[in-house]
Amino acid sequence: MLVGIFVFGAYILYNVLGAFSDTQYELARGDKSDKREQAVNTDDPVSLLIMGIDERPDKQDVGRPDVLMVVTVNPEDKSAKILSIPRDTLTYIPAIGKEDKINHAYSLAEVQQPGTGIESTITTVEELLDIPIDYFAKINFDGFVEIIDTLGGVDVNVERAFKQKAFDGGEEIYFEEGPAHLNGKEALAYVRMRKEWGGDAGRNERQREVLAQLMQKGASFSSLTKIDDIIESLGRNVDMNVSGGELLAFSRKYGSIPKENIESLTLEGTDVMRDRSYFILEEGEAERVGNILKAHLNLPTTSTVNTGAES
């Protein structure tokens, strides 16, 4: 779920790059987005789509993104912006030719034509925000748990006490209000909870909280001693289109982004019940947030919509 930015900071040893062969996924579109005139390089501001996939082989399910996060990074000021897209967001899905929940861009495409879910999700996000998606990282929940545990857990501040059933169907996990240190299974429950309070907005904020911390932990010296375990987990649980050389370059440029330079963005909207529950964006909201991301990528904005910072 959060591995995309993490690997930028973690992989600085050349002799481990060969282990990424199992993670490489070549997009049918080639090495650049259709919204780019030319392919980006490591000196350019770039965007990354992180897909946390709820895959359950025991249910013979194609899976669906439970987490969709867009991260943009800019080398000029060593800054990052993180946007969590609510999974119930109603939007047009080009691969199926109709509007539906954005997380169905993956599952419905996979049902129609296996192997097209990643491309469908990327294209849908690009059309929603009118920005290029340069890189992606798709990770299943087992990988998320393993990587958190390998890094020694994460520290969070629980805004309000709640309980959430573990992803594997096991026990309920109780979270007390206040500072907490979470292992992988607990962290996954923490970022997935939405029904007890806070809804998608609360869940998205918890996802951004954990991602921002992993960006810091991934760049720390202590993570280098665990590199073999991290690589092994990535090979089993991750698909991405980031090459070994790009990983080295990104780690040099973005391995020490200060916390104050990581900004969270939010899509405003309303939960609406139709045939099922949808998240309906406010009018002009996708354009507003898309313009903020475009400005961060040094791309022209499309209107006079305010691109001021939001946190």
Side-chain angles (χ1 to χ4, degrees), residues 151-162:
L151 289 174
V154 292
D155 296 306
V156 301
N157 185 41
V158 181
E159 180 182 350
R160 179 175 164 185
F162 67 91

Side-chain angles (χ1 to χ4, degrees), residues 83-216:
L83 170 69
S84 293
I85 303 176
R87 67 177 189 175
D88 290 346
T89 299
L90 181 64
T91 191
Y92 180 74
I93 301 176
I96 63 175
K98 66 176 183 179
E99 286 190 330
D100 207 326
K101 294 184 179 185
I102 195 166
N103 70 334
H104 289 174
Y106 182 90
S107 57
L108 293 180
E110 283 288 319
V111 169
Q112 289 184 355
Q113 186 176 351
T116 62
I118 290 175
E119 299 256 11
S120 173
T121 305
I122 290 173
T123 301
T124 301
V125 172
E126 287 187 328
E127 292 304 310
L128 172 66
L129 299 172
D130 191 30
I131 64 167
I133 296 297
D134 301 308
Y135 300 101
F136 81 91
K138 173 200 158 197
I139 182 169
N140 61 42
F141 288 164
D142 288 337
F144 174 78
V145 170
E146 288 181 14
I147 290 171
I148 294 287
D149 284 340
T150 300
L151 289 174
V154 292
D155 296 306
V156 301
N157 185 41
V158 181
E159 180 182 350
R160 179 175 164 185
F162 67 91
K163 60 184 177 181
Q164 171 72 20
K165 196 164 188 177
F167 168 68
D168 59 7
E171 77 283 0
E172 281 192 320
I173 300 173
Y174 291 85
F175 297 87
E176 298 293 337
E177 181 178 345
H181 182 78
L182 308 180
N183 62 27
K185 181 182 290 190
E186 293 166 340
L188 180 57
Y190 181 73
V191 301
R192 294 185 69 238
M193 190 282 290
R194 67 170 179 160
K195 292 184 178 180
E196 288 211 6
W197 59 270
D200 274 322
R203 181 168 66 169
N204 293 344
E205 182 55 41
R206 290 190 295 276
Q207 291 169 6
R208 292 190 293 266
E209 177 188 15
V210 172
L211 174 57
Q213 184 175 158
L214 284 182
M215 291 172 67
Q216 303 293 317

Side-chain angles (χ1 to χ4, degrees), residues 27 29-40 44-47 70 91-92 94 119-135 286-287 290-291 293-294 297-302:
L27 296 172
R29 73 181 191 188
D31 61 356
K32 81 171 187 67
S33 165
D34 292 340
K35 292 186 177 292
R36 291 277 194 188
E37 293 185 0
Q38 58 186 23
V40 295
D44 298 318
V46 297
S47 62
V70 176
T91 191
Y92 180 74
E119 299 256 11
S120 173
T121 305
I122 290 173
T123 301
T124 301
V125 172
E126 287 187 328
E127 292 304 310
L128 172 66
L129 299 172
D130 191 30
I131 64 167
I133 296 297
D134 301 308
Y135 300 101
E287 183 180 19
N291 275 334
L293 297 175
K294 285 179 185 177
L297 293 170
N298 293 344
L299 296 174
T301 56
T302 55

Side-chain angles (χ1 to χ4, degrees), residues 244-306:
E246 288 167 331
L247 285 167
L248 281 174
F250 286 137
S251 68
R252 296 188 188 104
K253 290 180 182 293
Y254 302 115
S256 57
I257 295 178
K259 184 176 180 180
E260 59 270 20
N261 286 1
I262 302 173
E263 180 186 10
S264 296
L265 304 176
T266 302
L267 285 164
E268 301 294 338
T270 304
D271 290 311
V272 174
M273 180 61 69
R274 295 182 178 175
D275 58 319
R276 65 190 75 175
S277 177
Y278 295 97
F279 184 73
I280 309 298
L281 297 180
E282 293 182 2
E283 184 176 356
E285 183 68 357
E287 183 180 19
R288 181 187 68 83
V289 174
N291 275 334
I292 295 173
L293 297 175
K294 285 179 185 177
H296 195 228
L297 293 170
N298 293 344
L299 296 174
T301 56
T302 55
S303 75
T304 58
V305 173
N306 179 23

Side-chain angles (χ1 to χ4, degrees), residues 196-241:
E196 288 211 6
W197 59 270
D200 274 322
R203 181 168 66 169
N204 293 344
E205 182 55 41
R206 290 190 295 276
Q207 291 169 6
R208 292 190 293 266
E209 177 188 15
V210 172
L211 174 57
Q213 184 175 158
L214 284 182
M215 291 172 67
Q216 303 293 317
K217 291 177 75 75
S220 69
F221 176 78
S222 61
S223 69
L224 299 181
T225 63
K226 306 167 184 175
I227 202 74
D228 290 341
D229 292 335
I230 295 170
I231 292 171
E232 183 180 351
S233 179
L234 287 174
R236 290 194 306 268
N237 301 296
V238 177
D239 290 315
M240 65 176 72
N241 66 333

